[in-house]
Amino acid sequence: MDNKIIEIINKWNPIKIYPLLQDEYHFESKHIMKAAVNSESVEILAKEIFNIFNQCFGKEFTTSLEECEVIAEEILRYKIE
């Protein structure tokens, strides 16, 4: 699950870092993985994702909660498979 979450987050690239290093979002991905294990709802995981990136990047993180919900849904869908 680790690698898939990292892949999803890197593809999303919420801070729009270019060039993107493979481990650029490693810290955030680890926290998201822990949240995903304990989360049963897209909304709860989306809020966790939003908070993690907001705390780590502050004003550089301009993504909406709705966009985080799309990512949370993708992560949880992978978790179920």
Side-chain angles (χ1 to χ4, degrees):
M1 187 169 182
D2 290 0
N3 291 336
K4 186 61 177 178
I5 289 177
I6 290 170
E7 181 183 314
I8 291 168
I9 299 302
N10 283 347
K11 182 180 170 189
W12 178 36
N13 192 8
I15 309 302
K16 308 300 182 234
I17 298 171
Y18 299 104
L20 181 67
L21 301 175
Q22 183 63 26
D23 64 348
E24 194 74 52
Y25 297 117
H26 182 77
F27 176 80
E28 296 80 13
S29 296
K30 290 293 180 186
H31 286 283
I32 291 168
M33 184 187 70
K34 289 178 187 175
V37 168
N38 297 320
S39 183
E40 296 294 326
S41 118
V42 169
E43 293 79 16
I44 291 171
L45 182 56
K47 287 178 186 175
E48 287 291 326
I49 292 170
F50 184 87
N51 290 335
I52 288 166
F53 278 99
N54 196 38
Q55 288 174 359
C56 291
F57 293 100
K59 292 180 182 180
E60 293 177 59
F61 180 65
T62 59
T63 302
S64 69
L65 183 57
E66 290 78 19
E67 191 172 336
C68 292
E69 287 178 359
V70 172
I71 299 305
E73 186 174 358
E74 187 174 348
I75 290 169
L76 289 178
R77 184 174 36 244
Y78 178 77
K79 177 182 161 183
I80 292 170
E81 294 176 350

